[in-house]
Amino acid sequence: MGGKASLLVVLGFSMIFLVVGLNFSNLSTRAVDNYSSYYTVTKAYDIAVSGANMAANQIFMDKTWDAGYQNLSFDGGVLNVYVSNTITGTAGKVLICHTPPGNPNAKHSMWVPVSAVPSHLAHGDYLGDCSGQSSGGQTATIISEGTYNGVTKVVEVLLRGSSFAKFGNYYSTMSAYPATGDTFEGPFHVNEWLTTYGSPVFWGKATSAKGLKMMGSPKDPKFYGGYEDGVNIPLEFDTTNLRSNADYIFYDTTRTKSLVNVRLYFNSDGTLTYSQKIGAGNWSSSKTVNLSTFAPNGVIYVQGGNIYTKGTLNGKVTIVAAKSKITNAGNVYFEDNLVYNKDPRIYPNSTDMLGIVAEQNIRIQDNPNTRGKDIYTQASMYAQNGTIGPEDGLINQNFLGQWNILGGLIASNTRATAQYDYKGNPIRGLKFVHRYDNRFLTSVPPSFPNTKSYEVVSWLE
């Protein structure tokens, strides 16, 4: 009996060791398989990411680049990159609906060279757009496919110009420097040296192209949003693009190359009252129209003239004053306060938004509405070749008020708004009080100028 029991015990342990050993063997095999699969997928993904970065760099260097890469051997695998670039109009390319091999969930529309069409059709792609996808817009799209050991991974990148409206302050150069007592909200950029006196405060990220020069005492600027140099963002934009997007264009109907002055007065009920004066002629009778029907796409353009504006905006619009080779044209003048019907600081869901684009300067006019008073301006302001600030009479007036801004200032250079005593304190004019409109980080006025170079706005993997 004792011998049988011992035999059963030995057989039982042998069976247990056999099962455990088999499980260990299977576990080791699955671990190797999992590692191999993980390595293959990762390798394909890395190839796709590399292709996307290579293409994005090419587009950054040349905005019209759309050549892509076809069947390029890369890191032991194969790389295919397709670029749909609306700047070049995808000339010579064909729109197809593409399904990456083995990855039907990644189906997408894209433009490919004519020579690449047969190979795509051979693996099941078809001509035309995939349902629900669009290739339009002022953008460049990169589709990068990395294939390794039969596995394909896809990276899709969308690029477009970055709106200047995202800046709280932008200047190509600065003749008036940030100093103690100055506070800046939102992104701040100067496309040369950033020179500071004392302890100005920057709440948003500050950047400059050449570096930082600290002057005065103490040499202690406060960069609470961080600081970075070597960031080059030229103030380059062709305002003719705005003209093509305009709903209504004021121009010299006499064809005598005369200056066109236009009054645009915004009313809190969503209407706009306008009139115009051509050359030495008289002002036309005022007309009041519904802003949403007068400018449904939100752009009002004055060609070869100036804009005089004020009021309370109920709506979303960009107004443009273009010089168009006419002397003394391309300026925007504030005749009084210019504010939103619903201040977004009080009404977070406010859709009121104003963009002001001047090919030359933006000025607060010296008149009975502005002299001896605080001024309120709510808009993102862009002066391509000039400055933004009050007329000389308001800077030299025997009064010290405030210019309260909600929005952004983008200009070729800075302009002083007040006169200062020997201690650096303002004594007359308008103290600069700026608040950034945070909505401009994600939403901008219609057709507001973009940077010349593209930047990545989405990266899908």
Side-chain angles (χ1 to χ4, degrees):
M1 187 64 185
K4 289 183 178 179
S6 298
L7 181 59
L8 289 173
V9 170
V10 170
L11 290 174
F13 275 108
S14 297
M15 183 62 70
I16 291 172
F17 288 137
L18 181 63
V19 171
V20 171
L22 182 61
N23 286 339
F24 271 118
S25 177
N26 289 339
L27 184 62
S28 298
T29 301
R30 288 198 298 272
V32 171
D33 290 345
N34 289 339
Y35 177 77
S36 178
S37 177
Y38 175 78
Y39 178 80
T40 298
V41 171
T42 302
K43 195 79 171 179
Y45 164 78
D46 289 343
I47 293 172
V49 170
S50 297
N53 279 307
M54 290 161 58
N57 183 65
Q58 289 283 2
I59 293 175
F60 181 79
M61 300 298 293
D62 177 6
K63 197 174 180 179
T64 66
W65 185 82
D66 66 351
Y69 306 105
Q70 282 75 49
N71 295 318
L72 177 66
S73 296
F74 189 90
D75 198 19
V78 176
L79 178 63
N80 279 290
V81 176
Y82 308 96
V83 178
S84 173
N85 191 335
T86 56
I87 292 297
T88 59
T90 62
K93 294 191 174 182
V94 177
L95 180 64
I96 67 169
C97 183
H98 172 63
T99 301
N103 194 2
N105 293 329
K107 183 173 70 174
H108 53 264
S109 302
M110 66 183 191
W111 296 84
V112 299
V114 174
S115 59
V117 170
S119 63
H120 281 278
L121 298 180
H123 70 246
D125 294 351
Y126 56 87
L127 299 176
D129 186 27
C130 298
S131 176
Q133 295 199 27
S134 171
S135 59
Q138 298 297 315
T139 61
T141 302
I142 298 170
I143 306 294
S144 178
E145 297 176 357
T147 301
Y148 182 80
N149 198 24
V151 174
T152 298
K153 301 299 290 184
V154 179
V155 172
E156 181 173 349
V157 182
L158 176 65
L159 304 99
R160 69 182 178 202
S162 178
S163 175
F164 280 104
K166 74 178 182 181
F167 291 104
N169 288 264
Y170 171 103
Y171 305 102
S172 291
T173 185
M174 299 188 74
S175 57
Y177 303 134
T180 300
D182 290 336
T183 300
F184 300 91
E185 292 189 349
F188 184 106
H189 179 78
V190 55
N191 219 41
E192 58 161 29
W193 292 97
L194 173 55
T195 303
T196 62
Y197 275 92
S199 303
V201 176
F202 300 83
W203 285 105
K205 183 175 182 179
T207 55
S208 70
K210 295 184 178 179
L212 176 65
K213 291 182 178 179
M214 296 180 290
M215 305 179 71
S217 179
K219 297 180 175 63
D220 189 26
K222 306 294 186 184
F223 295 108
Y224 294 120
Y227 168 75
E228 180 181 359
D229 59 25
V231 180
N232 185 46
I233 309 174
L235 187 64
E236 296 177 335
F237 177 72
D238 184 354
T239 54
T240 56
N241 291 334
L242 272 172
R243 189 182 189 284
S244 62
N245 293 333
D247 299 290
Y248 196 93
I249 300 174
F250 293 92
Y251 64 99
D252 174 19
T253 55
T254 67
R255 300 184 182 279
T256 56
K257 298 182 179 179
S258 298
L259 180 69
V260 179
N261 287 323
V262 178
R263 289 171 175 160
L264 298 176
Y265 297 164
F266 295 98
N267 307 310
S268 61
D269 62 357
T271 61
L272 169 71
T273 300
Y274 72 88
S275 61
Q276 64 177 323
K277 175 183 177 182
I278 301 176
N282 297 320
W283 285 97
S284 66
S285 299
S286 297
K287 293 184 179 179
T288 298
V289 296
N290 190 304
L291 180 61
S292 61
T293 54
F294 184 75
N297 293 320
V299 180
I300 301 173
Y301 190 93
V302 176
Q303 178 176 305
N306 302 309
I307 295 174
Y308 297 79
T309 186
K310 62 180 181 180
T312 301
L313 172 66
N314 184 343
K316 189 173 183 179
V317 68
T318 294
I319 59 175
V320 187
K323 184 175 176 62
S324 303
K325 299 181 181 179
I326 301 296
T327 302
N328 297 323
N331 304 292
V332 175
Y333 297 93
F334 302 142
E335 294 185 351
D336 202 341
N337 296 327
L338 181 55
V339 297
Y340 296 136
N341 183 53
K342 291 186 176 179
D343 188 327
R345 293 169 295 183
I346 302 173
Y347 303 96
N349 295 325
S350 171
T351 57
D352 301 334
M353 186 174 288
L354 177 60
I356 298 173
V357 178
E359 196 168 339
Q360 295 301 110
N361 299 298
I362 296 175
R363 291 285 181 269
I364 304 172
Q365 197 177 46
D366 180 11
N367 65 35
N369 293 327
T370 59
R371 178 166 281 264
K373 300 178 181 177
D374 293 336
I375 305 299
Y376 296 83
T377 305
Q378 297 180 343
S380 184
M381 297 171 274
Y382 177 102
Q384 173 134 10
N385 300 307
T387 61
I388 302 172
E391 289 186 331
D392 290 345
L394 294 181
I395 298 174
N396 301 321
Q397 64 180 326
N398 189 24
F399 169 80
L400 180 59
Q402 292 185 344
W403 184 20
N404 301 282
I405 299 170
L406 175 66
L409 299 95
I410 303 98
S412 179
N413 203 347
T414 52
R415 177 177 174 83
T417 62
Q419 291 190 3
Y420 296 81
D421 63 15
Y422 71 96
K423 294 182 179 179
N425 299 312
I427 55 175
R428 62 176 61 89
L430 294 170
K431 289 191 294 186
F432 188 77
V433 181
H434 175 228
R435 295 290 180 269
Y436 181 61
D437 189 338
N438 290 313
R439 297 179 302 168
F440 292 147
L441 290 173
T442 55
S443 180
V444 300
S447 301
F448 205 80
N450 288 331
T451 58
K452 184 176 181 179
S453 298
Y454 281 153
E455 69 175 17
V456 175
V457 294
S458 72
W459 184 290
L460 304 176
E461 298 178 354

